[in-house]
Amino acid sequence: MNKRKYSFDFRIIVGGFLIAAVLLAGILMLVFGIKDTYTLNKKTGNYNTTDGYFESYDIYNSDEDGITYRLTYVYEVDNKKYYVSTDYGTSYIPAENSVREVKYNPDNPGQSVLSGSNSNNLMIFMGAFFTLGGLTFVLIVLSVSGCFDKVKIDIVGTYIGAVFLIIGTGIILLQNGITMSVRETIKSLGWWFLIPVLFIVVGAYQIIKCLFIKKIK
């Protein structure tokens, strides 16, 4: 009896494992981020809102990549002061007395959260980043295998354009949720603001090129 010989390409196995790990990590972050966001929205659905004023900051994390800060805001309810801090670290430090909306429990004003971006939003963004990135490699493998040969549009090119568009838009929206102002968002990012803008421009051009320009040609 002849025994079949199976040959395995170690690079393909490792590559497949890495892609699966990236996808799994992305999906898990998406699931937990969405779940925690839903729980938070449900919890704060009946909260009142008021203006919080930036008062101070302390170090959230410090490593070789730099320093990030936890921002603290003060707000008043019935002439009594309360404090609320961000649940994430940021390199952006707002101007003194900058305003940000605060949601607080009317039955216990000390229980509060800041409106705008939070750690759950950051987790959702990172989850989307890993998931979309992992799916990009999957689509490339399928394309090389000839799965899209009969499709008239460029599936991979269109998808990559959408990924660029989503990432660029997501970066701006997240930062805007921290600064609560388009002007402050641009100011806080400085020249780095050009990166998400370029992502959006490149992504939009890629989608238009793959869906319309090639079709016309």
Side-chain angles (χ1 to χ4, degrees):
M1 182 180 290
N2 294 327
K3 293 184 179 180
R4 292 185 179 181
K5 293 183 179 180
Y6 297 95
S7 59
F8 298 97
D9 191 327
F10 185 73
R11 292 171 299 178
I12 294 177
I13 295 174
V14 173
F17 176 79
L18 290 175
I19 292 173
V22 169
L23 277 172
L24 180 60
I27 292 171
L28 287 175
M29 282 189 283
L30 273 175
V31 170
F32 285 111
I34 294 172
K35 174 180 173 293
D36 291 343
T37 297
Y38 172 78
T39 301
L40 180 63
N41 290 339
K42 188 176 180 180
K43 177 182 176 182
T44 60
N46 296 323
Y47 279 20
N48 292 340
T49 60
T50 187
D51 288 336
Y53 298 89
F54 175 68
E55 184 174 85
S56 62
Y57 63 90
D58 59 89
I59 294 177
Y60 181 85
N61 186 43
S62 178
D63 53 30
E64 63 275 5
D65 296 325
I67 301 175
T68 57
Y69 305 95
R70 180 188 291 106
L71 311 178
T72 299
Y73 291 77
V74 60
Y75 62 99
E76 285 191 11
V77 179
D78 297 330
N79 296 319
K80 186 175 180 180
K81 288 185 178 181
Y82 298 92
Y83 299 88
V84 58
S85 300
T86 56
D87 60 354
Y88 57 84
T90 176
S91 58
Y92 167 73
I93 299 177
E96 187 177 357
N97 289 323
S98 295
V99 180
R100 185 163 174 179
E101 186 180 77
V102 176
K103 295 181 179 180
Y104 67 91
N105 185 348
D107 299 322
N108 184 3
Q111 292 181 351
S112 59
V113 295
L114 288 163
S115 296
S117 296
N118 53 48
S119 59
N120 296 331
N121 301 142
L122 295 173
M123 185 176 291
I124 290 173
F125 176 79
M126 292 305 299
F129 179 82
F130 280 103
T131 302
L132 293 173
L135 287 175
T136 300
F137 290 103
V138 173
L139 287 178
I140 290 174
V141 172
L142 292 176
S143 179
V144 172
S145 302
C147 295
F148 305 133
D149 289 348
K150 295 183 179 180
V151 181
K152 294 183 179 180
I153 62 174
D154 184 352
I155 297 292
V156 176
T158 303
Y159 178 81
I160 292 176
V163 170
F164 271 66
L165 192 62
I166 291 170
I167 291 175
T169 304
I171 292 173
I172 293 176
L173 290 178
L174 277 175
Q175 189 66 15
N176 191 66
I178 295 173
T179 63
M180 307 304 291
S181 164
V182 175
R183 181 180 178 182
E184 283 298 312
T185 296
I186 297 173
K187 181 180 177 181
S188 66
L189 291 174
W191 288 106
W192 291 103
F193 183 75
L194 293 176
I195 293 178
V197 171
L198 285 174
F199 267 68
I200 293 172
V201 172
V202 171
Y205 172 75
Q206 181 72 7
I207 292 173
I208 294 172
K209 182 183 73 172
C210 294
L211 291 180
F212 302 105
I213 296 178
K214 284 189 175 182
K215 189 175 180 180
I216 293 174
K217 287 183 180 180

